Amino acid sequence: MPAYYLEIAVVVLGLVLLLVEAFTPPQHKRRIGWAALAGIAATFLLLLTVKSHCGCDSPMWQFYDDSSLSLFFKGLALLCTAFVLMLGLEYLPVLEKYSARAGGGPATGEFFALPVLICAGLMWMASAIDITTIFLSLELTTIGFYIMVAYMRRNVGSLEAGVKYLILGALSTGILVYGLSWLFGATGQTGLDAIRTALPSAARGPALFAFALILIALCFKIAAVPFHFWVPDVYQGAPTPVTAFLSVGSKAAGFLVAIRLMEPFLAVESLRTTCIAILVAVACATLILGNLAAIPQGNFKRLLAYSSISHAGFLLLALASDRHTGELTSTRIIAFYLSAYLCMTLLAFAVLIIINKSTGSDELKAFDGLHRRNPFLGFATLIAAASLAGVPLTAGFLGKFFVFIAAAGAQQWLAIGIAVAGAAAGFYYYFKVIRHVYWNTAPEGAAAIPVSPVAKSLLIILIAATLVLGVYPQLILGLL
Amino acid sequence: MTSTYASIILLFPLFSAAAILLGLKKKANISALVATGSALLTLVLSVLVLNAKEWSSVTLLQWSKVGGLELGIDLKIDQLSSGMMLVVTGVGALVHLFSLIYMKKDAGKARFFAGLSLFMFSMTGIVYSANLAMMFIFWELVGVSSYILIGHWFEKNSAADAAKKAFLTNRIGDFGFMIGILLLWAATREISFDGLSNAVAAGNMAPGLLAAATLCIFCGTVGKSAQFPLHVWLPDAMEGPTPVSALIHAATMVAAGVYMLVRVSFLIEASGWAADVIAWIGGISALLAALMATQQNDIKRVLAYSTLSQLGYMVMACGLLASEAGMFHLFTHAWFKAGLFLGSGAIIYACHHEQDIWKMGGLKDKMPVTFATFGLCTAALIAVPFTSGWWSKEAILEAAYKNDGLLFPIAAGTALLTAFYMTRLFVVVFFGKGRDSHVAGHAHEVPMLMRAPLIILAVLAVLAGFALIAGPVLGDEYAKYSQFHFSVPAIVSILTLALGVGLGLKLYAGRDREPVNIKLFANKFYFDELYAKIVKLCQDSVAAVARVLDGLLIDGVGVGGTRGFANMTGNALRRIQSGNLQGYACLFGAGVLVIVLLALL
């Protein structure tokens, strides 16, 4: 079976869900969520049967790549979507409150259909090897996200976030198209393979201009400085499952596109030095700002927003340290880092959603005395924070460790220094969360926090994954 | 087939420990049966592995592969590991059986058996490991599980302290062990025993470096096998339940150090003077421990010092490049020392948990089976001719006689002392009259399930040295050790035996009180006090320096400065993050300008 059937299946799934949604009574919208989850899970199982390079003849292969790397990122997108759908089911009560029609019941059905369509975009992005398909799939996800961010239409914060994301997103899209058109102008090609062969003979100025513009647009997607300004506001305003989706799915796909698009530039010796220098500069700025700005945050969602920025810095550093010989190529490092990031970040968001449902607050104060109000939830927070900070035996540690190895191999000593300082700062602000959970006492009369079976199974899976990847990275590295 | 068996032997105790800790904790009796069942199963499988004689290496888990460094759980199944496994699982199974009764009414029974299973898992890992990294991991696991077992009665302060002491003392040795592994890796890029052996044989290492690495590796043995100067933890570790002492302080944990030396014997052979250091450390440990054993009054402590002393023999043999002799003694010692420990356990059980030998006495008639088995094991320990201990000690004395003029008298002196203090113990405990009616008065023979292991061990104590048993387990080359021939060591050995037993009988027969009083020996040469002083001195001076540094540099400049800087930038950044969309778009544009300029200039 060629791999692109999977995207078709997911798109069909999304459309069917939208159709069915129209005929589902409001009190049964939850079923749409379960159906979407089942469909995504089935697609994931199908993915496991797909082999890379199927060899079948099709005009599709000009635009579509089915290497193991692409399949891996497809799997990441599907898993991420599945987890987000579970988070969405958990978040439903909050969503119902803020999405009511005027004079009618809550309108939550599309909330489960849209992630499926976004997932199709992410999966397509994982395979796109032509700048036209890259652009199309990128837009498919971004437009889906515009709607998702502003989904809670009775909530001012969500609407404001939606507007900000829409306008700044449009700005970055414009720059991306502009950059891609310069790339086309410089090489006369749209396929990445053809671009790779044509680029060495292209004029230096236009090529670098194209590089800069493309990098800027991708920096927006992956939340790198100085195009990160939307991140804290949008993360805070959007419905929390959407924030999680943005922070994991969007970033993962963005990085794969970045790997694909940057690679032809880095392969040309005359452009390489400049490109690497810019990448490292952006990485350093991202590391510094992401970590420093995280320190004073008192809101967990905003904290995670800055954490997302700082992780983007580490990933960029890995991207800039390509040509690392041996088993750990920068692509594999990024793939591993993103897998680790998926586990720990979704874990943190899952905890946040559960707490928000009980307390109605995203502030760190809401975590006070969590280990007494629900020890398991406290433990989950501990694992998430430890892994995000990079404590050994968690996935987050190995991710950072691999980045340091690659950067040391590329002799980026200044960047390593900054990254070390950033990681150290990370310990401070992530452990602040742990302090709230274990040291601070709960406010008077605080009740126990219930965890539903769905949420509990989700937490267990994510905790296990975080710890297993922390001692057995080969699980991911072996796939590539 | 053998590799499958070996994997099961390794994993089954882990499953048992996990099952108990995760599910069965509240059902103590089932827990005990699960653990015992797993021990018996591994014993059967060990016999099958040994019987099949299909030597192989198998990778159970490729853990990580970074550059040329491949870390994995690789099992090395050969004569040495299979023979050692028989010892470990054999003694282990008997100890499990014994514990079923001994720990019957203990409140933490499930925890105890989970600890035993975990320990068996760790020990199996050491025995089967094919590379130093895996050995180190399981080495540490043994440390952890022995901590759990020694501190089983943690509500007793002395037990908790002993567990801590054992763990910390071992850490010192393990630190050296780790440095040794790193040195070897750095010099040869090899971490597996086979690879290292080839590299050393090819002469890839400078002699000085090789000697240093060997000594560092040896540090691991010094800690785990309680050799001088890290011997202090073993006697205290007798605070653990007696079956634990039999398991980890006779046959397994402390033997792991010697086993490791045998595994890396190719290093010792190539290391030149480092081998002499090892031999001398072993000899000194043997003699010192034997001296200390003569003045102890706690039945288990006498056995503990005796263990130290016998381990010294084994280490000395390894240092004298006669690792086969060391391994042979390890093998025979495991049975008779386990028999002695379990025997002492039976006595303690019968005497209502009294351990002072001067309160016992006259147990000969009250506990005939224990008396007989204890007697046979003692005979093996003091090397009565044709018992198992005789053959193996003879092999070591032979090696000492051939290699080093000075070590032979030390070894012979130790043999004399061994005969002396064991006679003292035996006479005081079993003969004479019951000195304390509360203790010895009500003593009676222990139940069948406790007697059976004693009998099996006593039989092995006598017979294990013969080629019939030692040959199949350790390898056919061991047959040569159990052939009697007259030589200087043999004569000396018989003379020292006669002298030691005679002296012991003369001094202790019919006594009710300790007739000799040597403070220096009774107080273990004041090692504990000396170490405490040194540690305190170092700690105090480091603490004083640290206090000044912490107050001025870390708190003042470091923390204060960093905090100020971080707060300042954090606030500045917060101001930029105003929430104003136009502002963001403007900054976005500025960012575009910067990047484009960077690219084009």
Side-chain angles (χ1 to χ4, degrees), chain B residues 124-137:
Chain B
T124 310
I126 292 188
V127 175
Y128 274 136
S129 52
N131 62 57
L132 280 169
M134 171 180 169
M135 188 176 258
F136 187 77
I137 293 170

Side-chain angles (χ1 to χ4, degrees), chain A residues 68 72 327-329 331-337 339 398 402 469 472-480, chain B residues 63-66:
Chain A
S68 59
F72 176 81
E327 301 275 319
L328 286 170
T329 57
T331 313
R332 296 178 94 187
I333 292 175
I334 291 175
F336 179 80
Y337 200 114
S339 318
L398 279 179
F402 291 153
L469 288 185
Y472 193 56
Q474 202 65 27
L475 211 57
I476 296 292
L477 299 177
L479 289 176
L480 295 172
Chain B
W63 185 33
S64 104
K65 194 169 164 214
V66 184

